[in-house]
């Protein structure tokens, strides 16, 4: 029916990398597992729920995780196994809908407004997906069900692990009003502190200020804050399609200096390369030509630096080396701190075109 709300499900695997390790090695079950290489420059890729009790979180320096829980079991990441588990999960999604938007190896949006099954509700569809994931992979997933992507993502975190939560269209305003503003996408610790100084602590406070006042204070981002405060998110689920850019980025708990970014660049490059390999598997004709480093300073200035090597990148090691090297092209003062870093592959080009171009160069 025209105008009817969408039915969006956000499925998020529970402690995915760590859960795969515990599934495949029974001796790890019930123990605090940290997926990371040991060492001062390493960061945590994932932590089991037993490890999270000690305050260990993804993106935390591995050396800090070791201090928080000396008895933690450190397991080096094995992205090939994680990719295979992710492939199995996505095959389960595809039994229900074609409208699947993967966000990473362990989460995806699904539009189940219309499905391939006889299930009549999004809630039943989410339950069926989670049950099948456990039956076929021995892994658990949590799900959020809502009329849009932003709300579904919040909902999937509501009853973790191994649970699901529904935000019905009639409950949106009531549900959002008491939430801390930090639950809104794009509101990190720095923005949350800035909002707090303005007396804006919960979502209901944003509504009370109105769109015009928020725009005066935050520019175009203020308009988006107002929309999110009212649960407005018109973005459609975008199924797999040729990507213009493949990227991963992260906002830090505390702002960092440029020289402190290397382990985070390593981690994000791993995520970007894994996503790129998935793209190559689905469409082997397109390759990336350009490596991009994105930074956001503590004062919200966005900087990007890129390099297009003579030959397209062919390994994670090459991606890491170039992305880390791009820091040398940042000309801000050395005391500048950064709140976000991202690593991207862009300049997608047909592989055959590259071959023809190189042949022409050889013949000329």
């Amino acid at each position: 029916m025209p105008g009817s709300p969408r039915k969006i499900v956000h499925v998020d695997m529970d402690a995915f990398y760590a859960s795969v390790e515990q599934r495949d090695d029974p001796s790890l079950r019930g123990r605090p597992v940290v997926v990371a290489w040991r060492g001062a420059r390493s960061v945590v890729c994932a932590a089991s729920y037993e490890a999270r009790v000690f305050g260990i979180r993804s993106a935390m320096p591995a050396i800090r995780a070791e201090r928080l829980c000396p008895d933690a079991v450190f397991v080096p990441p094995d992205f090939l196994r994680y990719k295979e588990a992710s492939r199995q999960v996505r095959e389960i999604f595809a039994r229900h809908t074609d409208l699947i938007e993967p966000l990473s190896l362990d989460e995806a949006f699904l539009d189940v407004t219309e499905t391939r099954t006889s299930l009549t509700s999004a809630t039943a569809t989410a339950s069926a997906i989670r049950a099948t994931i456990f039956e076929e992979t021995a892994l658990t997933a949590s799900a959020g069900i809502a009329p849009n992507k932003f709300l579904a993502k919040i909902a999937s975190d509501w009853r973790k692990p191994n649970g699901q939560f529904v935000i019905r269209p009639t409950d949106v305003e009531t549900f959002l009003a008491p939430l801390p503003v930090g639950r809104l996408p794009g509101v990190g610790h720095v923005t949350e502190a800035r909002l707090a100084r303005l007396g804006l602590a919960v979502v209901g406070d944003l509504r009370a200020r109105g769109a015009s006042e928020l725009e005066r204070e935050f520019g175009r981002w203020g308009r988006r804050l107002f929309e999110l405060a009212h649960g407005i998110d018109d973005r459609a689920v975008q199924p797999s399609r040729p990507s213009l850019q493949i990227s991963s980025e992260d906002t830090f708990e505390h702002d960092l200096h440029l020289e402190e970014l290397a382990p985070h660049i390593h981690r994000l490059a791993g995520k970007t390369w894994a996503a790129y390999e998935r793209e190559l598997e689905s469409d082997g004709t397109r390759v990336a030509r350009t490596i991009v480093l994105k930074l956001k300073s503590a004062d919200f200035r966005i900087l990007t630096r890129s390099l297009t090597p003579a030959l397209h990148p062919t390994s994670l090691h090459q991606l890491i080396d170039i992305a880390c090297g791009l820091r040398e092209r940042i000309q801000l003062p050395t005391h500048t701190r950064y709140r976000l870093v991202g690593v991207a592959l862009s300049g997608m080009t047909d592989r055959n075109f590259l071959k023809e171009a190189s042949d022409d160069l050889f013949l000329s």
Side-chain angles (χ1 to χ4, degrees):
M1 178 184 299
S4 296
R6 293 187 179 111
K7 298 177 182 179
I8 308 298
V9 176
H10 179 254
V11 180
D12 193 2
M13 302 299 293
D14 298 321
F16 184 51
Y17 298 170
S19 294
V20 172
E21 298 294 346
Q22 289 178 314
R23 179 196 66 180
D24 295 347
D25 183 352
S27 71
L28 298 177
R29 295 172 190 171
R31 301 175 67 186
V33 173
V34 177
V35 179
W37 290 281
R38 289 183 182 271
R41 296 176 66 82
S42 178
V43 295
V44 174
C45 295
S48 69
Y49 285 98
E50 295 87 353
R52 295 182 188 189
V53 171
F54 295 90
I56 298 174
R57 296 290 185 270
S58 296
M60 173 183 291
I63 197 166
R64 182 183 174 198
E66 195 167 2
R67 286 197 298 267
L68 288 172
C69 183
D71 294 329
V73 182
F74 279 73
V75 180
D78 184 345
F79 287 103
L80 288 178
R81 282 192 295 128
Y82 309 150
K83 284 174 61 180
E84 174 56 24
S86 178
R87 184 198 63 76
Q88 291 177 273
V89 170
R90 289 185 188 171
E91 193 277 327
I92 293 169
F93 295 161
R95 299 174 199 173
H96 294 265
T97 179
D98 292 324
L99 297 178
I100 303 165
E101 181 180 343
L103 301 179
S104 62
L105 288 177
D106 61 346
E107 62 176 320
F109 286 116
L110 287 69
D111 188 327
V112 297
T113 309
E114 297 181 4
T115 71
R116 293 177 165 180
T117 72
S118 60
L119 297 171
T120 57
S121 73
T123 302
T125 298
S127 295
I129 288 171
R130 291 176 49 244
T132 306
I133 288 173
F134 183 72
E135 178 183 346
E136 297 187 11
T137 72
L139 299 169
T140 64
S142 297
I145 303 100
N148 62 46
K149 291 162 70 172
F150 144 59
L151 292 169
K153 189 168 175 64
I154 289 181
S156 67
D157 197 42
W158 214 249
R159 290 192 178 147
K160 265 188 165 290
N162 197 24
Q164 66 183 51
F165 185 74
V166 183
I167 304 175
R168 294 177 174 81
T170 54
D171 298 333
V172 169
E173 298 263 342
T174 303
F175 173 81
L176 285 176
L179 291 187
V181 292
R183 296 302 298 267
L184 298 179
V187 178
H189 292 285
V190 174
T191 305
E192 188 172 11
R194 184 179 174 188
L195 289 167
R197 290 194 293 271
L198 296 172
L200 305 172
V202 298
V203 174
D205 297 333
L206 291 172
R207 292 184 197 155
R209 290 297 175 97
S212 298
E213 187 172 348
L214 290 173
E215 279 191 278
R216 282 196 299 273
E217 186 68 38
F218 295 96
R220 283 167 43 183
W221 172 236
R223 167 65 63 172
R224 181 61 176 154
L225 279 175
F226 180 79
E227 291 174 350
L228 292 173
H230 285 273
I232 298 170
D233 182 11
D234 295 328
R235 295 172 302 155
V237 169
Q238 298 286 349
S240 297
R241 64 196 190 285
S243 303
L244 299 177
Q245 176 172 285
I246 297 172
S247 64
S248 300
E249 62 183 47
D250 195 12
T251 301
F252 308 130
E253 185 175 354
H254 304 290
D255 298 338
L256 301 174
H257 288 112
L258 197 63
E259 66 271 14
E260 298 176 292
L261 299 181
H264 299 280
I265 292 173
H266 281 231
R267 174 175 55 85
L268 293 168
K271 289 186 175 182
T272 297
W273 192 260
Y276 178 53
E277 288 186 322
R278 291 199 303 274
E279 181 94 2
L280 291 176
E281 289 173 2
S282 62
D283 181 4
T285 65
R286 301 171 74 249
V287 295
R289 293 281 291 113
T290 301
I291 293 169
V292 181
L293 177 69
K294 174 184 176 182
L295 297 173
K296 183 184 289 185
S297 63
D299 60 358
F300 290 83
R301 179 178 174 183
I302 296 176
L303 305 97
T304 60
R305 299 293 183 270
S306 64
L307 177 69
T308 303
L311 299 175
H312 68 86
T314 57
S315 70
L316 171 59
H317 180 74
Q318 185 182 11
L319 173 60
I320 291 172
D321 280 353
I322 293 176
C324 282
L326 286 170
R327 289 178 300 166
E328 298 176 4
R329 292 169 52 185
I330 302 297
Q331 301 300 318
L332 297 184
T334 56
H335 63 264
T336 304
R337 290 180 176 269
Y338 301 88
R339 67 189 311 266
L340 175 147
V341 66
V343 177
L345 285 163
S346 67
M348 296 297 184
T349 305
D350 188 284
R351 187 191 299 270
N352 294 324
F353 173 80
L354 285 181
K355 182 178 185 302
E356 291 171 3
S358 63
D359 288 346
D360 288 343
L361 185 63
F362 177 77
L363 292 171
S364 62

